Amino acid sequence: MTALPDARLDQLLARHAEIEHALSASPEAETYVRLSREFADLSPLVESVKALRRAERQLTEARSLATEAAGDREMAAMAQEEAETLEEEVETLSHAVRLALLPKDAMDERGVILEVRAGTGGDEAALFAGDLFRMYERFAGLNGWSVEVLSMTEGTAGGFKEIVAGLHGSGAYARLKFESGVHRVQRVPDTEASGRIHTSAATVAVLPEVEDVDIEINESDLRIDVFRASGAGGQHVNKTESAVRITHIPTGTVVAVQDERSQHKNKARAMGMLRAKIYEAEREKRDSARASERKVQVGSGDRSERIRTYNFPQGRVTDHRIGLTLHKLPEILAGDALGELVDALTTEYQAALLAEAESAGWGER
């Protein structure tokens, strides 16, 4: 483990103090908002650095006392015990500072647009897509996020051929961004009389919610079609043309929403989905330019990658990216234990980023 970049830490501490002074001078509204965001972004790192340096000073004092009190066994033993405790604290705080120095994903605090699509496996794949969506829906509830279904196509035997939903809440993208990819299920379908295990799959895509200021979309690049929303069996949900389909002509991206009776609401939802898709496509294009240089496997964002297998006969879930198997299939599908997988993936991702940062000499935050 390389030493922390003290010169950069000093610069960040000085910048934090500079912003604090500027905010106390009551700047104009736009400047105040910008500085407040930067101040809030730096504050966790600054507090960790201050705590680390305080613990390092106390550790030095404890070690000195242990040496000076060599003739007093009891005093030396107490000083040595304190030093050992402080060594653990310094290690913990040092790790926290390293994590805080990692580049931040600007979208981490956003909500997400979640897409779950049935893949290979026919009706069983649609049923599995339904299981996955309910897992994320329950996980959202446990985290205090709201869920808004944007569009869905039900499977003929249940579940969903496709479902798109907004999960609204701070930090949703940070928690769910590693869920994108192919999820595979192995189980005996209810309709299988011989008890043979079937394998089917569903694809999950997690996109950050994108605002107007994040990406520019020209109205002239859009083709907007309205049509009557229809439900199962072709029956009209309503008799007005409230459903909306938007095509982004330059990229060929198409989104459609028909859940609301209001054409205005459906258009707003569709634009939100379109922004997220175009933003993510542009980001993937940028990231692919340096993907071959990176050793970070978690978070590659490749939606064709088989990332996880849910094996019902063995009651296990295996994440293939990090080689983690948990024999908690019911708890994971209930959303209760999904956090264990999410935490493990986040830890692996952070460890890989730390290794990159240290080998590159920490670079810029």
Side-chain angles (χ1 to χ4, degrees):
M1 184 180 292
T2 60
L4 284 166
D6 283 333
R8 272 193 53 219
L9 294 179
D10 289 338
Q11 290 174 355
L12 292 170
L13 288 171
R15 177 58 181 162
H16 188 262
E18 179 186 337
I19 297 171
E20 188 173 25
H21 177 72
L23 289 172
S24 68
S26 302
E28 60 182 38
E30 186 176 338
T31 302
Y32 184 86
V33 170
R34 176 176 57 80
L35 290 177
S36 294
R37 286 176 178 169
E38 187 179 357
F39 186 81
D41 183 50
L42 284 174
S43 290
L45 170 61
V46 167
E47 291 306 313
S48 293
V49 172
K50 288 180 177 178
L52 172 61
R53 291 184 170 176
R54 184 167 54 250
E56 287 175 334
R57 288 194 299 271
Q58 292 172 344
L59 175 57
T60 299
E61 293 170 0
R63 284 172 173 169
S64 297
L65 181 58
T67 301
E68 293 168 1
D72 186 335
R73 287 187 178 180
E74 186 175 349
M75 179 65 72
M78 289 175 60
Q80 182 59 35
E81 185 179 347
E82 183 180 2
E84 290 173 0
T85 300
L86 287 166
E87 283 172 359
E88 293 180 5
E89 184 178 350
V90 166
E91 185 177 346
T92 299
L93 290 169
S94 178
H95 183 68
V97 170
R98 282 177 161 79
L99 291 180
L101 281 171
L102 291 175
K104 296 293 187 291
D105 186 331
M107 293 292 149
D108 271 356
E109 293 306 309
R110 301 286 181 88
V112 305
I113 291 179
L114 171 72
E115 302 177 348
V116 183
R117 291 184 173 85
T120 56
D123 289 342
E124 177 62 17
L127 290 169
F128 179 51
D131 292 338
L132 289 177
F133 177 72
R134 283 185 289 275
M135 174 181 74
Y136 292 123
E137 187 176 34
R138 290 162 184 158
F139 187 67
L142 292 172
N143 284 276
W145 309 327
S146 62
V147 178
E148 176 189 23
V149 174
L150 301 175
S151 68
M152 66 176 177
T153 303
E154 295 179 339
T156 54
F160 302 103
K161 292 181 180 178
E162 173 184 306
I163 184 165
V164 182
L167 275 57
H168 310 301
S170 178
Y173 184 67
R175 296 289 283 163
L176 292 176
K177 62 184 177 182
F178 302 130
E179 293 299 300
S180 292
V182 177
H183 296 240
R184 186 179 67 166
V185 63
Q186 296 171 326
R187 64 183 173 189
V188 179
D190 293 338
T191 55
E192 178 57 59
S194 65
R196 183 168 61 91
I197 296 173
H198 285 231
T199 298
S200 55
T203 301
V204 174
V206 177
L207 313 175
E209 288 185 325
V210 179
E211 300 172 358
D212 290 337
V213 296
D214 298 316
I215 188 168
E216 183 179 351
I217 298 177
N218 296 321
E219 286 284 339
S220 59
D221 289 337
L222 302 178
R223 183 173 71 243
I224 301 176
D225 302 307
V226 295
F227 55 97
R228 289 185 178 181
S230 60
Q235 295 179 344
H236 291 302
V237 173
N238 57 56
K239 296 181 180 180
T240 61
E241 293 185 330
S242 62
V244 175
R245 181 190 301 110
I246 302 179
T247 303
H248 185 247
I249 298 170
T251 62
T253 304
V254 181
V255 295
V257 176
Q258 64 175 23
D259 279 15
E260 292 285 347
R261 290 182 177 273
S262 163
Q263 183 186 120
H264 177 74
K265 288 182 179 179
N266 281 333
K267 182 181 177 182
R269 285 181 167 187
M271 280 302 300
M273 292 165 62
L274 185 69
R275 280 195 299 270
K277 284 178 175 290
I278 295 175
Y279 179 90
E280 188 68 7
E282 289 186 0
R283 185 157 78 161
E284 286 178 2
K285 189 176 180 180
R286 291 195 304 269
D287 290 348
S288 66
R290 59 188 293 260
S292 60
E293 303 170 11
R294 302 190 69 186
K295 296 180 181 178
V296 180
Q297 297 302 312
V298 176
S300 65
D302 184 355
R303 294 178 203 167
S304 64
E305 176 189 9
R306 189 191 72 186
I307 64 168
R308 196 175 293 157
T309 295
Y310 303 73
N311 186 296
F312 274 69
Q314 297 177 17
R316 64 171 172 84
V317 177
T318 298
D319 196 288
H320 304 290
R321 294 164 294 180
I322 57 176
L324 175 65
T325 295
L326 296 178
H327 291 272
K328 296 183 176 182
L329 189 147
E331 295 89 342
I332 289 171
L333 284 179
D336 298 326
L338 178 59
E340 292 184 39
L341 283 170
V342 170
D343 291 340
L345 289 162
T346 301
T347 299
E348 182 76 12
Y349 181 67
Q350 289 174 339
L353 288 183
L354 281 172
E356 276 192 356
E358 292 189 345
S359 65
W362 282 102
E364 289 297 322
R365 183 173 188 266

